[in-house]
DNA sequence: CCTTTAGGATTACGACCATACTACAATTGG
DNA sequence: CCAATTGTAGTATGGTCGTAATCCTAAAGG
């Protein structure tokens, strides 16, 4: 294992970015699968098959399933952050975000939707590793959402944004769970009303 | 299977209520276990062991695990309904309910807390049988919560109550997931603010 | 151009746990 | 004391995570 006289060290036989690209592909497809079938409902074999690989290759990329879940949650929340930053450049960005979040389309497509809406109570039961990843990620999301809510005062209102996230997530989950189309859409509408009500109250 | 001449049918050798009592015991302890470890995280063997039985006896009481989960969710939501009815007789029942729901104690004790807060996103991914049980149960809860919110006008405001439930559930889940005591408590406080804001707005 | 070589993937396996089901035994009321 | 009902214990099948040995291939060097 030791190079007796050398410094050169490891020579990259594969292109340096090949492994990293594979890792990213695994994380991306795992995002969809985990949101669709849940953290406990998705097995390593299935997750790898989604990425076009077999189970054995998994542990060359991640130390454990929890490590993949943590990495995936971090990635998902960063993607959501990027979306919020993008909306910050558009007029009525916040209103458009809320409308899309509480839409029947988002309700019916958990696979490509908000990770919090799909997984929040499972995250709460998960290992510290996963909860740490979620906590750091959601605070970042909250900061960008706060900017979107009050473009004039950057850096303030993270906690108000967390309250807004709680409303959005709870509403989405309830609309998904209720097995009655009319009541489900009524829930989405009530969620939008709750957001408006929250915005109408003074900051603190 | 057909009794050729009889009406009397089955003669109960065990006290008629013995099996029913066992069934109820299973459902009660399953409520705690499922909320603690999740729907996917709890196995039939564990659930039966909690009730002091072994796995084999399970299928004398329930047709499948889904059937038990559905029965348990129905029971849990009926228990929540009973709590709300009880609070309706006391002054400031609604405010007290919200305060208890968004308390650190409830956040730290999912096992004996709200079933929606512990299981909502898993319910949304579950079989039609489970979703039906949840839907019927939560609408009952919403009706009683509506009465608690506006004691003067019974029967109205179910949808507003559903909006309130969404806020409570989302807030509780977020507070449980966040791995930072200060931010977690801030989330609980923001949830209470959101409820107040919702109450301050006109009905429709 | 061809061999060497190491990194990455495959297949196979181990130990364990899941649901579902079935004989068999224990219990208990009549 | 009988017999139905309830519970035990064990089985079947499949899925889980994680590990280990084998194979393949792409790149480096002669």
């Amino acid at each position: 294992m030791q190079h007796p006289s050398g410094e050169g060290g490891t020579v990259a036989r594969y292109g340096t970015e090949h492994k990293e690209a594979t890792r990213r592909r695994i994380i991306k497809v795992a995002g969809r699968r985990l949101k669709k079938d849940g953290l406990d409902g998705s097995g390593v074999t299935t997750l790898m098959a989604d990425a076009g690989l077999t189970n054995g290759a998994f542990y060359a990329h991640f130390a454990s399933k929890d490590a993949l879940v943590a990495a995936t949650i971090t990635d998902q929340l960063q993607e959501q952050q990027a979306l919020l930053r993008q909306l910050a450049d558009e007029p009525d960005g916040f209103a458009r975000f809320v409308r899309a979040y509480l839409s029947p389309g988002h309700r019916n497509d958990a696979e490509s939707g908000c990770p919090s809406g799909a997984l929040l109570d499972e995250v709460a039961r998960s290992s510290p590793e996963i909860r740490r990843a979620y906590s750091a990620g959601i605070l970042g999301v909250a900061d960008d959402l706060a900017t979107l809510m009050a473009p004039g005062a950057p850096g303030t209102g993270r906690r108000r944004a967390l309250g807004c996230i709680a409303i959005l997530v709870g509403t989405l989950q309830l609309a998904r769970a209720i097995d009655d189309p009319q009541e489900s859409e009524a829930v989405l509408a009530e969620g939008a009303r709750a957001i408006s009500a929250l915005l109408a109250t003074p900051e603190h």
Side-chain angles (χ1 to χ4, degrees), chain A residues 17-104:
Chain A
E17 65 281 357
H18 279 191
K19 186 170 182 178
E20 188 59 24
T22 302
R23 183 188 154 96
R24 276 183 211 171
R25 194 174 77 246
I26 296 171
I27 288 175
K28 286 299 177 196
V29 298
R32 301 184 69 86
R33 173 66 68 172
L34 291 174
K35 288 187 286 182
K36 181 167 176 283
D37 294 341
L39 305 184
D40 265 20
S42 315
V44 170
T45 304
T46 306
L47 293 168
M48 292 300 279
D50 285 349
L53 299 171
T54 52
N55 60 345
F58 179 82
Y59 294 90
H61 294 280
F62 303 94
S64 66
K65 186 189 170 185
D66 272 17
L68 167 62
V69 171
T72 301
I73 284 178
T74 296
D75 177 73
Q76 288 286 315
L77 291 171
Q78 281 175 351
E79 235 177 56
Q80 197 167 39
Q81 239 182 309
L83 172 70
L84 290 172
R85 287 220 188 88
Q86 198 175 317
L87 281 168
D89 298 333
E90 305 182 14
D92 289 326
F94 179 70
R96 292 178 59 187
F97 175 70
V98 172
R99 203 188 327 276
Y101 196 102
L102 298 179
S103 70

Side-chain angles (χ1 to χ4, degrees), chain A residues 160-198:
Chain A
R160 183 135 117 160
L162 282 172
C164 181
I165 291 171
I167 296 173
L168 292 171
V169 170
T171 301
L172 183 65
Q173 287 190 8
L174 193 57
R176 281 176 178 160
I178 287 182
D179 194 11
D180 176 327
Q182 289 202 344
E183 294 295 336
S184 176
E185 300 219 10
V187 167
L188 294 176
E190 283 298 321
R193 266 174 37 88
I195 298 286
S196 302
L198 185 68

Side-chain angles (χ1 to χ4, degrees), chain A residues 111-130:
Chain A
E111 183 177 340
S112 55
C114 170
S116 300
L119 303 171
L120 190 49
D121 66 46
E122 267 189 311
V123 169
R125 279 190 298 270
S126 294
S127 68
E129 181 179 10
I130 292 172

